[in-house]
């Protein structure tokens, strides 16, 4: 299963990167191919409402560092988004990238039966880190849920690490890392054979 991981934190090697690396390492054991994309190392805009993707083009009308990433995502069975909470929502780097997913919607998508250029039954995994406690921001994936459904990413999975502020807080918590393992085994087990473990 082709897996693309978007690393949405500008702090490389921090908590969300750690969750993403754990996820990828375990997915590889199940035979998945994984691509890690550090968004903070790319230069790209959010959607600027050119609407070329709803007219003469069947892809985003902007050409920048996100162009090949969008191409990879269009072929991904599993999209992993690893992001810290910044000011109550996903990081800006993450949100700009998600806005570009608009190009996956077909012209007339609001009323179309099939809204997406992408096939359905794909998986989206949100690996969310936050400094505040467990009771905050439990609904972020749900906020995006209907849009991801429309795009074809209609199997949603969430791993949250809360109360983590120092860059190695997640690394020190077997609890949060095991949550990643649980989701990996749920997604990949029916389709792939583990090569180890
Ligand atoms: C600019 C900024 C804004 C933040 N806003 C929030 C917030 O609103 N709520 C929260 O729980 N944590 C907030 N945090 C804390 C981060 O979510 C937390 O430290 C997280 O573990 C960082 O992930 P990383 O190590 O992958 O960068 C904020 C951190 C920064 C730098």
């Amino acid at each position: 299963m082709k897996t693309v991981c978007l690393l949405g934190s500008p702090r490389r090697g921090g908590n969300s990167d750690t969750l993403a690396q754990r996820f990828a390492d375990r997915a590889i054991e199940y035979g998945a191919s994984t691509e890690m994309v550090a968004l903070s190392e790319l230069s790209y805009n959010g959607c600027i409402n050119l609407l070329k993707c709803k007219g003469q083009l069947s892809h985003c009308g902007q050409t920048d560092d996100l162009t090949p990433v969008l191409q990879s995502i269009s072929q991904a069975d599993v999209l992993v988004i690893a992001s810290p909470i910044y000011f109550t929502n996903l990081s800006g780097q993450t949100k700009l990238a998600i806005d570009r997913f608009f190009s996956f919607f077909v012209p007339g998508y609001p009323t179309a039966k099939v809204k997406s250029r992408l096939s359905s039954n794909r998986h989206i995994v949100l690996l969310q880190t936050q400094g505040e406690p467990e009771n905050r921001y439990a609904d972020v994936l749900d906020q995006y849920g209907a849009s991801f459904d429309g795009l074809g990413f209609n199997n949603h999975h969430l791993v949250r690490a809360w109360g983590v502020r120092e860059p190695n807080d997640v690394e020190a918590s077997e609890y949060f890392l095991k949550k990643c393992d649980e989701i990996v085994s749920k997604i990949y087990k029916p389709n792939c054979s583990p090569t180890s473990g």
Side-chain angles (χ1 to χ4, degrees), residues 9-11 14-17 84-89 129-132 137 164-167:
S9 174
R11 181 162 72 172
N15 294 313
S16 41
D17 278 12
I85 294 292
Y86 274 6
F87 285 93
T88 76
N89 213 295
T129 60
Q130 60 186 70
E132 291 180 70
Y137 317 119
V164 292
R165 289 193 184 273
E166 297 306 317

Side-chain angles (χ1 to χ4, degrees), residues 23-153:
F23 188 98
D25 289 346
R26 290 292 179 268
I28 288 166
E29 288 174 8
Y30 282 98
S33 74
T34 61
E35 182 182 341
M36 308 296 268
V37 179
L39 293 174
S40 64
E41 293 174 4
L42 306 183
S43 173
Y44 60 96
N45 294 318
C47 177
I48 53 173
N49 208 4
L50 285 174
L51 291 180
K52 285 189 180 172
C53 63
K54 303 295 172 277
Q56 67 264 47
L57 298 178
S58 58
H59 53 83
C60 182
Q62 296 189 75
T63 303
D64 59 17
D65 288 355
L66 210 63
T67 304
V69 180
L70 292 172
Q71 177 64 23
S72 285
I73 291 169
S74 74
Q75 295 161 354
D77 303 294
V78 181
L79 173 62
V80 180
I81 297 179
S83 175
I85 294 292
Y86 274 6
F87 285 93
T88 76
N89 213 295
L90 303 179
S91 70
Q93 290 85 350
T94 307
K95 182 60 166 67
L96 287 182
I98 290 173
D99 286 357
R100 294 280 289 281
F101 297 176
F102 183 66
S103 59
F104 295 139
F105 285 119
V106 296
Y109 71 94
T111 52
K113 193 160 175 241
V114 177
K115 298 181 185 304
S116 182
R117 294 186 162 109
L118 312 184
S119 57
S120 60
N121 210 23
R122 301 178 188 221
H123 296 263
I124 179 108
V125 182
L126 178 61
L127 306 176
Q128 173 185 322
T129 60
Q130 60 186 70
E132 291 180 70
E134 184 179 9
N135 63 328
R136 305 298 307 276
Y137 317 119
D139 61 345
V140 173
L141 180 59
D142 292 340
Q143 289 173 35
Y144 290 86
S147 298
F148 288 142
D149 282 343
L151 288 173
F153 290 97

Side-chain angles (χ1 to χ4, degrees), residues 158-179:
L158 175 64
V159 175
R160 286 199 305 137
W162 55 83
V164 292
R165 289 193 184 273
E166 297 306 317
N168 58 354
D169 279 350
V170 160
E171 205 174 0
S173 166
E174 202 51 29
Y175 177 82
F176 296 132
L177 294 171
K178 284 227 160 78
K179 290 285 169 197

